[in-house]
């Protein structure tokens, strides 16, 4: 291990060590796994790597140097999905999983959560990943989390393959969602369980899905069978379970009719925190009631925020048709986007 890293000396000019990793990504991951809970700090292993391990649950004995402690403190602020959802479940509130499309909205969500002193989940869905590679998104999410005093979860949304989930884990995501909702129950269980086992080795949380959440003007939903949800939770050991109970993806109005009986039945059969995708289509008052009275601890919200961005951008372009600077155009939408984000977070996350 000592030969795998070279750490440059700390000087006043360098606030953190420069770590040159000579090991490959997977080898570095194995080195992290070899740091036991309560274990001693390995000789000459870079502080960035140790902090990476600490963020995933390792606890080191002894007193690291002050510079290392500052890194530990920043990294530990990056939260796992399991941590924030269990806390929400215990205290009868929920966390917003906000769908990110780029730097500007991700920064807006993180800043708003910090202002309100509530946790938030930054989510990279398929659309986001088609535009921006996972290695870039992982660094971006973690950078925002390191600057925040509020817990931020770095989450892969709707991962469809094991390889995609592992790539997210390798690039600093603290939780992944494997979406096997279109598979048979047995295949969904098998694939989700495999990803859970691999992720849990590194203290990464996993969200699974049982039942199928449909799309507005697209594929129809298939409500979650409570008994299947029980089986799925028991066999996969997932940290969160997305269910279908009348919620619909890409809903532009708040007209979803949520089947509370399905939610209530599922929570009598399993203690796993529940997730509702397509929550932009759920009435705000109903969302708050669900957050306060059920085991639904995570609401995924994307369309509501995308619509705010798109509508505001169109208005700003009409106001000033001679502005062509992309940054100015996008930044003109941020005040309104922050206003709506604040409303979303306050509604479900404020006790």
């Amino acid at each position: 291990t000592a030969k795998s890293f070279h750490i440059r000396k700390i000087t006043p000019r360098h606030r953190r060590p420069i770590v040159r990793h000579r090991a490959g990504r997977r080898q570095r991951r194995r080195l992290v796994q070899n740091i036991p809970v309560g274990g001693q700090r390995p000789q000459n292993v870079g502080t960035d790597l140790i902090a990476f391990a600490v963020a995933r649950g390792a606890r080191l004995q002894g007193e690291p140097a002050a510079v290392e402690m500052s890194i530990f403190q920043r990294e530990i602020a990056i939260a796992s999905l399991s941590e924030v959802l269990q806390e929400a479940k215990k205290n009868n509130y929920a966390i917003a999983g906000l769908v990110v499309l780029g730097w500007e909205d991700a920064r807006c969500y993180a800043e708003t959560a910090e202002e309100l002193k509530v946790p938030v989940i930054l989510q990279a869905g398929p659309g986001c990943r088609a535009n921006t590679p996972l290695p870039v998104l992982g660094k971006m999410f973690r950078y925002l989390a390191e600057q925040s005093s509020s817990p931020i979860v770095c989450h892969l949304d709707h991962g469809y393959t094991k390889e995609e989930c592992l790539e997210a884990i390798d690039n600093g995501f603290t939780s992944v969602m494997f979406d096997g909702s279109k598979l048979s129950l047995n295949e969904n269980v098998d694939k989700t369980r495999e990803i859970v086992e691999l992720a849990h080795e590194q203290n990464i949380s996993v969200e699974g899905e049982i039942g199928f959440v449909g799309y507005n003007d697209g594929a129809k939903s298939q409500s979650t069978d409570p008994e299947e949800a029980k089986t799925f939770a028991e066999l996969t050991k997932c940290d969160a379970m997305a269910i279908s109970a009348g919620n619909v993806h890409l809903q532009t109005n708040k007209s979803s009719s949520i089947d509370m009986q399905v939610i209530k039945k599922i929570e009598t059969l399993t203690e796993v925190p529940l997730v509702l995708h397509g929550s932009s289509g759920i009435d705000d008052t109903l969302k708050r009631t669900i957050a306060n009275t059920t085991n639904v601890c995570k609401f995924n919200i994307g369309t509501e925020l995308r619509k705010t961005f798109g509508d505001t951008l169109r208005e700003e372009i009409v106001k000033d048709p001679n502005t062509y600077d992309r940054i100015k155009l996008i930044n003109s939408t941020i005040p309104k986007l922050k206003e709506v984000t604040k409303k979303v977070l306050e509604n479900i996350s404020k006790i």
Side-chain angles (χ1 to χ4, degrees):
T1 302
K3 294 180 181 177
S4 299
F5 299 86
H6 169 69
I7 305 177
R8 196 162 120 193
K9 264 189 181 175
I10 307 293
T11 68
R13 189 167 152 270
H14 298 109
R15 295 193 178 188
R16 60 189 297 172
I18 307 300
V19 181
R20 296 191 181 93
H21 298 294
R22 294 192 183 128
R25 184 192 301 160
R26 292 191 184 279
Q27 188 179 351
R28 292 202 301 273
R29 190 172 70 187
R30 284 197 297 274
L31 290 170
V32 169
Q33 287 177 264
N34 289 334
I35 301 171
V37 173
Q40 295 286 348
R41 180 187 189 278
Q43 281 281 322
N44 297 328
V45 175
T47 46
D48 277 357
L49 180 66
I50 299 296
F52 183 77
V54 169
R56 281 154 176 73
R59 295 292 181 269
L60 306 179
Q61 295 175 352
E63 292 295 327
V67 66
E68 294 179 2
M69 285 302 294
S70 68
I71 294 172
F72 291 165
Q73 288 160 2
R74 286 205 307 273
E75 293 283 346
I76 291 171
I78 300 171
S80 76
L81 186 67
S82 179
E83 289 167 348
V84 298
L85 295 191
Q86 287 297 335
E87 189 68 17
K89 182 167 171 277
K90 184 171 69 176
N91 292 291
N92 301 313
Y93 63 91
I95 313 295
L98 303 183
V99 178
V100 170
L101 293 179
W103 163 251
E104 293 84 2
D105 57 355
R107 181 179 61 185
C108 173
Y109 303 155
E111 288 176 353
T112 308
E114 180 161 30
E115 288 168 13
L116 295 175
K117 296 180 170 50
V118 298
V120 72
I121 302 161
L122 299 181
Q123 304 198 152
C128 178
R129 302 194 302 268
N131 184 63
T132 308
L134 274 173
V136 175
L137 291 167
K139 288 182 175 66
M140 182 172 82
F141 284 8
R142 291 185 72 88
Y143 174 82
L144 289 168
E146 286 166 5
Q147 310 310 308
S148 178
S149 59
S150 288
I152 292 182
V153 178
C154 309
H155 182 70
L156 178 84
D157 191 30
H158 291 289
Y160 294 109
T161 66
K162 178 178 75 174
E163 289 72 26
E164 198 168 24
C165 291
L166 290 179
E167 184 184 2
I169 292 169
D170 278 346
N171 283 287
F173 283 72
T174 56
S175 71
V176 297
M177 180 215 179
F178 175 69
D179 183 354
S181 60
K182 295 180 182 178
L183 306 174
S184 68
L185 175 61
N186 288 342
E187 192 175 1
N188 191 5
V189 165
D190 289 344
K191 287 179 180 286
T192 304
R193 180 170 53 204
E194 182 184 10
I195 291 166
V196 168
E197 289 171 354
L198 291 169
H200 281 185
E201 287 178 359
Q202 299 178 68
N203 288 340
I204 304 297
S205 305
V206 178
E207 175 186 333
E209 181 170 348
I210 185 71
F212 176 70
V213 179
Y215 290 81
N216 192 43
D217 296 329
K220 300 300 180 186
S221 295
Q222 295 175 7
S223 185
T224 301
D225 181 310
E227 291 295 336
E228 288 191 354
K230 176 175 183 271
T231 300
F232 183 84
E234 288 176 349
L235 295 180
T236 65
K237 302 293 190 291
C238 61
D239 302 286
M241 184 166 61
I243 61 169
S244 176
N247 42 317
V248 179
H249 286 112
L250 304 180
Q251 192 101 339
T252 54
N253 53 58
K254 297 184 181 299
S255 60
S256 292
S257 178
I258 299 301
D259 190 337
M260 294 295 290
Q261 293 302 112
V262 168
I263 295 173
K264 291 291 188 182
K265 179 65 174 175
I266 290 171
E267 67 181 17
T268 65
L269 299 173
T270 176
E271 289 292 316
V272 174
L274 305 178
V275 181
L276 289 180
H277 287 231
S279 293
S280 292
I282 304 173
D283 175 77
D284 290 342
T285 302
L286 179 56
K287 270 205 289 275
R288 185 165 180 85
T289 299
I290 293 170
N292 295 160
T293 63
T294 75
N295 285 352
V296 174
C297 302
K298 176 174 180 265
F299 290 88
N300 281 17
I301 297 169
T303 303
E304 181 175 357
L305 300 170
R306 280 196 296 271
K307 190 172 185 301
T308 298
F309 168 80
D311 290 345
T312 306
L313 182 61
R314 289 180 180 90
E315 291 170 7
E316 293 297 327
I317 289 173
V318 169
K319 280 185 199 175
D320 191 357
N322 295 317
T323 295
Y324 302 103
D325 186 302
R326 175 185 180 276
I327 295 173
K328 287 183 180 178
L329 287 170
I330 292 179
N331 284 344
S332 70
T333 70
I334 298 303
K336 184 64 178 177
L337 184 61
K338 183 169 279 194
E339 178 187 324
V340 175
T341 303
K342 182 178 179 182
K343 181 182 172 186
V344 166
L345 297 180
E346 284 183 322
N347 185 46
I348 61 172
S349 295
K350 280 286 190 182
I351 301 173

